């Protein structure tokens, strides 16, 4: 997603939405437009998130990996270090279920964190990312990835017409 | 988020721009004052005193405690159960409120989640303090070793270790993940070392549309996952007792009874922590009577539920009159009468009728008083469960009463000070209010000018309800 990005600050969601429509009319593909805001904006209000959200599958995978680890821990313990107690089975099912359940939940939590962070694109400390701290004052930063000076100019015009302030081209990733 | 502010609403925060809102909600992050250092110093001293007493106990032996046959579990285990219980409402309530999309939740989320994390850290220390020969605590960790020993996973104590570690890691993750947008806000406002600190912790979160969408999905998944973990943790703490054939412990109702008690005491803890944060950091505009009244309603429900569970437990033993169990209950009318009265009066007799009154729920001092009573009552309950059953165990010739020694009292005081110390330092370094959640609520509750008219927000009734100043 690197390359030239045109950004513009907007006071209020209405102006940003107008600019978003203008950018789409250029035409610019939906996946080339995004917003930076201090609060989550409803999907399609300004832009649409076209990428499917896949990481919940990793939560499920994490759960199963955790369950297997818990099962291995409990069963392995019984079999490798058997505690012979009169009249009782070496492999005890209810405690195995409890340990398996706890480790499975831990696996699911770990899977969510790792995959969630990855899919959100966090921890990219070495990459130059587009950002404007003024979004914390309540403004919305509308960003459009453009190809070529002509498209950049038209995108900037569209943003300015919609009421954008400090509309400018920037180098970096979205 | 800008848009036409709500002109007629009584909500102070909705009329405040985001920069001012952040400054108002992040007062706890202002540079430390002499008063703050004094408080931290005092808490550190008490904590160190507790640590010193623990070291003394380690050196001299468990004889310095009040523990003696047959009461080999005492105040340290009662405190373990109490602190783990206290940890419950933070993450659990936060997760439930997130899932049910309770609109009043935002200001209490962070404080409650932090309470969980620190209460768990403190609570988790008690079994390690209690075990004796503490330097061999690593025997509980499963790893191949030359002793040919391995933790016995058939023991409820090992289930506890697994569950508490899962809950602690889950709660810390839940706390941190929920804090990422606020760390990003703090990063953009901060300067100097704090900016570098928040930059690293925010992990590059910028608030792109894609990030927000995934953040919400992940938050929901965390909330869904953490609720059954929280329930399982205190169920297992209950099973620590219920699995033993000790009169007064061996009960099928213990798991749900413990979970109920944990949520009950945790809610009381949340009320006290929120009231303290509100007072110390002047958060009257964020933590309004709306939050306290709703917490009061939950507390009232839990008091009723606790009363129901206790009555169900009591009735079964009373009707059955199994001599072994009945002797435990008889001792409630004898040596342990003050504790039993404290438990019943502080958990049900006083809180329930008081919390039924709207006036009490809307009065923060009154609610704090009730919450304090509940904590006293719940500690008495934990103490009664742990100690009485052992003190009146089976054979009358070995019956023995128990009272904690000064060493135990010192360790308990040190634990409380440690919890407060961790919380105070956390509040100084991290955003104690969920600023982004509050902003999101305000954004949803803001009226918008469209053309020549103003569209009223559908979320307005709740927002205008926050207008009071407590």
């Amino acid at each position: 997603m690197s390359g030239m990005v045109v950004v513009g600050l907007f006071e209020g969601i209405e102006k940003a939405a107008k600019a978003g429509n203008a950018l789409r009319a250029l035409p610019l593909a939906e996946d080339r437009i995004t917003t930076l805001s201090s609060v989550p904006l409803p999907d399609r209000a300004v832009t649409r998130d076209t990428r499917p959200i896949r990481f919940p599958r990793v939560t499920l995978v994490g759960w199963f990996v955790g369950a297997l680890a818990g099962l291995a821990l409990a069963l392995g313990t019984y079999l490798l270090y058997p505690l012979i107690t009169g009249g009782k089975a070496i492999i005890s099912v209810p405690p195995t279920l409890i340990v398996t359940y706890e480790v499975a939940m831990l696996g699911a939590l770990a899977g969510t964190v790792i995959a969630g962070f990855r899919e959100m694109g966090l921890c990219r400390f070495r990459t130059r990312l587009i950002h404007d701290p003024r979004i914390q004052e309540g403004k919305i930063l509308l960003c459009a990835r453009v190809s070529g000076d002509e498209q950049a100019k038209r995108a900037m015009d569209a943003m300015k017409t919609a009421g954008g302030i400090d509309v400018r081209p920037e180098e970096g990733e979205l | 988020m800008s848009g036409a502010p709500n002109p007629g609403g009584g909500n102070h925060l909705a009329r405040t721009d985001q920069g001012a809102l952040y400054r108002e909600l992040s007062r706890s992050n202002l540079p430390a004052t002499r008063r703050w250092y004094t408080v931290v110093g005092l808490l550190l001293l008490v904590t160190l005193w507790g640590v010193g007493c623990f070291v003394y106990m380690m050196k001299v032996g468990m004889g310095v405690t009040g523990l003696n046959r047959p009461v080999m579990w005492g105040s340290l285990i009662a405190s373990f159960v109490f602190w783990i219980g206290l940890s419950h409402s933070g993450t659990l309530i936060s997760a439930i409120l997130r899932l049910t999309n309770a609109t009043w939740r935002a200001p209490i989320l962070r404080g409650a989640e932090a309470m969980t994390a620190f209460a768990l850290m403190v609570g988790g220390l008690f079994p390690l303090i209690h075990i004796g020969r503490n330097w061999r605590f690593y025997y509980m960790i499963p790893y191949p070793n030359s002793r040919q020993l391995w933790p016995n996973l058939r023991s409820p104590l090992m289930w506890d270790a697994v569950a508490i570690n899962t809950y602690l890691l889950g709660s810390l993750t839940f706390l941190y993940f929920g804090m990422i947008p606020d760390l990003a806000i703090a990063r953009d406002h901060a300067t100097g070392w704090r900016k570098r600190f928040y930059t690293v912790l925010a992990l590059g979160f910028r608030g792109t549309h894609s990030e927000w969408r995934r953040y919400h999905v992940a938050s929901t998944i965390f909330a869904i996952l953490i609720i059954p973990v929280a329930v399982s943790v205190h169920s297992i703490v209950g099973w620590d007792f219920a699995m033993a054939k000790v009169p007064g412990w061996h009960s099928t109702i213990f798991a749900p009874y413990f979970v109920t008690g944990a949520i009950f005491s945790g809610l009381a803890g949340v009320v006290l922590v929120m009231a303290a944060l509100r007072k110390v950091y002047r958060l009257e505009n964020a933590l309004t009577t709306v939050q306290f009244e709703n917490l009061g309603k939950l507390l009232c429900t839990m008091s009723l539920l606790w009363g129901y569970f206790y009555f169900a437990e009591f009735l079964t033993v009373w009707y059955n009159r199994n001599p072994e169990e009945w002797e435990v209950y008889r001792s409630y009318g004898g040596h342990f009468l003050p504790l039993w009265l404290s438990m019943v009066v502080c958990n049900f007799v006083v809180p329930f009728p008081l919390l039924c009154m709207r006036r009490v729920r809307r009065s923060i001092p009154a609610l704090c008083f009730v919450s304090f009573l509940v904590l006293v009552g719940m500690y008495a309950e934990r103490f009664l469960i742990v100690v009485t059953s052992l003190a009146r165990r089976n054979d009358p010739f070995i019956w023995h009463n128990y009272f904690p020694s000064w060493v135990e009292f010192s360790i308990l005081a040190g634990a409380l000070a440690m919890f407060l110390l961790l919380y105070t330092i956390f509040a100084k370094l991290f955003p104690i209010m969920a600023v982004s959640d509050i902003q999101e609520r305000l954004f949803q509750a803001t009226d918008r000018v469209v053309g020549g008219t103003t569209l009223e927000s559908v979320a307005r009734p709740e927002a205008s309800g926050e207008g009071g100043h407590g």
Side-chain angles (χ1 to χ4, degrees), chain B residues 351-410:
Chain B
F352 180 64
L354 281 182
L355 290 168
C356 285
M357 289 186 257
R358 190 165 191 252
R359 208 171 35 165
V360 173
R361 292 197 308 266
R362 289 184 71 84
S363 159
I364 294 169
L367 198 60
C368 285
F369 170 72
V370 172
S371 301
F372 180 73
L373 279 187
V374 169
L375 289 184
V376 171
M378 285 310 297
Y379 193 86
E381 190 228 40
R382 307 315 196 188
F383 197 91
L384 274 176
I385 289 174
V386 174
V387 172
T388 319
S389 301
L390 295 174
R392 295 293 178 272
R393 191 175 181 179
N394 299 335
D395 184 357
F397 292 103
I398 60 163
W399 284 357
H400 177 72
N401 293 325
Y402 159 80
F403 195 79
S405 71
W406 66 269
V407 176
E408 286 164 287
F409 277 118
S410 300

Side-chain angles (χ1 to χ4, degrees), chain A residues 10-14 34-44 47-56 59 63 70 73-78 80-85 88-92 94-96 98-99 101-103 105-106 108-110 112-113 116-117 119-125 129-133 135-140 173-174, chain B residues 1-4 17-19 142-145 147-155 158-159 162-167 169-171 173 176-177 180-181 184-189 195 199-219 221-222 224-229 232-233 236 239 436 439-440 443 448-450:
Chain A
F10 289 85
E11 298 264 11
I13 190 169
E14 294 82 4
T34 192
T35 51
L36 266 69
S37 56
S38 60
V39 294
L41 304 174
D43 200 30
R44 295 168 196 269
T47 59
R48 192 160 68 87
D49 184 23
T50 51
R51 273 198 309 145
I53 298 174
R54 292 212 172 90
F55 73 89
T59 305
W63 193 92
L73 174 68
L75 293 181
T77 299
Y78 299 144
L80 290 171
Y81 301 89
L83 274 173
I84 314 239
T85 315
K88 297 203 174 169
I90 295 287
I91 293 175
S92 184
T96 307
I98 291 170
V99 174
Y101 165 80
E102 293 296 341
V103 185
M105 297 308 275
L106 188 61
L109 285 163
T112 310
V113 175
F117 279 9
E119 204 171 305
M120 282 165 76
L122 299 182
C123 306
R124 289 185 290 165
F125 290 110
L129 298 168
I130 303 289
H131 183 52
D132 192 325
I135 61 167
Q136 309 301 358
E137 295 161 14
K139 297 184 177 67
I140 296 171
E173 285 194 25
L174 284 180
Chain B
M1 190 63 54
S2 56
D17 71 75
Q18 283 195 10
Y143 69 98
N145 59 75
R147 304 187 307 275
Q148 284 295 298
L149 282 174
W150 196 266
N152 178 12
L153 290 170
R154 283 185 292 195
S155 159
M158 275 314 292
W159 309 345
V162 177
I164 287 174
N165 280 317
T166 298
Y167 191 45
L169 289 170
S171 295
T173 312
Y176 176 60
F177 196 81
I180 287 176
I185 296 174
R187 171 199 63 202
D188 290 343
H189 281 96
K195 191 170 186 73
T199 301
V200 172
L201 289 177
L203 301 177
F205 184 90
R206 294 168 297 148
T208 64
H209 187 52
S210 159
E211 281 175 356
W212 277 121
R213 291 236 309 145
R214 280 149 188 80
Y215 171 79
H216 273 278
V217 173
S219 297
I221 293 174
F222 275 131
I224 292 168
L225 292 174
I226 209 77
I227 292 171
V229 173
S232 75
V233 170
I236 290 173
W239 290 333
S436 64
Q439 283 178 353
E440 188 181 343
F443 174 62
R448 296 215 148 59
V449 178
V450 177

